[in-house]
Amino acid sequence: MDWSFIAHNAHYFVNAGYMTVFISFFGIVFSIVLGIVCAAIEAANIPIVKQIVRIYIELSRNTPLLVQLYFLYFGLPKLGVSWSAETCAIVGLTFLGGSYMAEALRGGFEAVPQVQRESAQVLGFSPSQMLMHVTVPQALSTAIPGVVANIIFLVKESSVVSAIALADVMYVTKDLMGQTYNTYESLTLLIVTYLIILLPISIIGTVLERRSDYARR
Amino acid sequence: MTDDALATTNSSTQHETLHIRHIVKQYDNADKPVLNDVSFDVPAGQVFVILGPSGSGKSTLLRTIAGLEPIQGGDITIGDEVLRTSGKKKDIEKANAANTSNTSGSKAAKGDTNPVKVGMVFQSYDLFPNKTVLGNIMLAPVLVQKRKKDEVKAEAIKLLERVGLADRQDAWPHELSGGQRQRVAICRALIEHPQIMLFDEVTAALDPEMVREVLDVIVELADSGQTMLIVTHEMAFARAVADHIILLEDGGIVEESDDAEQFFTHPQSERAQQFLNTFTYSRERQ
């Protein structure tokens, strides 16, 4: 292992790490929002809109992120829509993540006992009040392990954005390997960077899981 | 005494007779109705206890009154106001609008702004696990009835004192025993000042030692003049609290009585006798 190589090139990974975190952060936030909307639509059983959500989920889960990104980055300009690589990356991650979040949350919604909705109904809650104060908080609590797994999954998936020339950690690694042939050191730096980003998320996730587990806390 | 707390609670809304008229409830794929032409009136301040074997339709009856089950025939009204009907939602609104204009000065026209006519407590613990005791009780009056938080909180604490749980106001539902949860659930329904309270086998899932603390609360509520419909399997309790007993079987009323004592000691019908016998157990020892 060439330690001086690592010392001299680590700073590339700091900047690239910011890029990975930036893309992932917005991709994840929007994924969760999209996931909640989709899961709520499915839970509320709204006809037609529900079918559209279903089609989106299948389309999103059964196509590779790389293909989705290529479509956004190389395909859309042909239709007259040109987005920056960053926008494409965030939209791509959201398109992919939204369906995964929706599926995790759907499980949470289905786990809310019927009597919870019935008590809210007899108390006079409107459907939206019921969602906001009863169904969604309880569904989230059950869904948190799945959601955390998806968050970690999306950060890892973000490595694909190097394919549309975004300077994330994967991109920098490929660059370094190509220029210096220090393959082993470059890949070690890459793995360490991902661990630095992901381990805290994993730990926070575990704490959150414990905190929000109303039933067994 | 704390009796005042509930007394004022109840007097703040005008109470009228609940009319159950020719209720029919039938599920799409069932060959016979769960409720078949059930009719009775519950005058304000009365406690009606509904008895019957399982599958007789007693829980379904409460659920139709609560609006949790659509009905295929008949209607349910409080005073002149249509609460549930087998017709379209529009018909309810039309009927109620007509009432309002016809009977000027009556309840619907003024004074009655409470959108919640019916409160219900279920058999399974139904507190919201994501809210504290106080949060559970305060949520509906603030959200649904748009009442001021301070006033709601003061009343919530009064109600909790009333059921002996003032010290648990910040507890989470999972920290409470089953009996405590049911008492909180009763407070949560009462704070909306419903004209009718429905109790659906609220002690059926409780350990025997916890049954009494819940029944005591219901008895006190009866004494304060709250109109109630109670489904229960606690015969001694039914006998003690009922102003009127209804025995339901196969979706129809088999026997009813304004005299609980008489119903339990001298039931009129053979079916009622048979039913009551299942609750006593005796054999000749050799």
Side-chain angles (χ1 to χ4, degrees), chain B residues 139-158:
Chain B
L139 197 57
V142 171
L143 283 180
V144 177
Q145 300 177 315
K146 315 277 180 225
R147 285 155 62 186
K148 292 257 181 321
K149 262 195 171 157
D150 301 348
E151 172 256 325
V152 170
K153 187 173 180 181
E155 189 182 343
I157 290 170
K158 246 191 222 169

Side-chain angles (χ1 to χ4, degrees), chain B residues 255-275:
Chain B
E255 180 169 341
E256 53 183 321
S257 168
D258 269 329
D259 186 344
E261 209 50 48
Q262 197 232 324
F263 174 85
F264 280 100
T265 50
H266 300 98
Q268 301 297 302
S269 64
E270 203 174 312
R271 184 64 191 98
Q273 245 160 24
Q274 221 178 357
F275 175 74

Side-chain angles (χ1 to χ4, degrees), chain A residues 116-117 120-121 123-137, chain B residues 115-116 128 130-131 139-146 192:
Chain A
Q116 288 284 322
R117 296 194 188 88
Q121 192 187 329
L123 287 168
F125 287 37
S126 69
S128 62
Q129 287 170 336
M130 195 189 297
L131 268 181
M132 239 170 74
H133 298 275
V134 180
T135 327
V136 170
Chain B
V116 181
F128 304 131
N130 52 321
K131 302 275 174 201
L139 197 57
V142 171
L143 283 180
V144 177
Q145 300 177 315
K146 315 277 180 225
E192 291 191 298

Side-chain angles (χ1 to χ4, degrees), chain A residues 114-126 129 132-138 213-217, chain B residues 63 66-68 116 118-120 122 124-131 139-140 143-144 146 172 174 188 192:
Chain A
Q114 186 60 24
V115 71
Q116 288 284 322
R117 296 194 188 88
E118 289 180 348
S119 347
Q121 192 187 329
V122 178
L123 287 168
F125 287 37
S126 69
Q129 287 170 336
M132 239 170 74
H133 298 275
V134 180
T135 327
V136 170
Q138 290 181 40
D213 193 351
Y214 308 115
R216 270 150 292 176
R217 188 173 37 175
Chain B
R63 292 170 59 82
L68 294 172
V116 181
V118 175
M120 183 163 180
F122 297 80
S124 55
Y125 312 138
D126 56 322
L127 293 182
F128 304 131
N130 52 321
K131 302 275 174 201
L139 197 57
L143 283 180
V144 177
K146 315 277 180 225
W172 294 88
H174 73 270
R188 186 178 67 176
E192 291 191 298

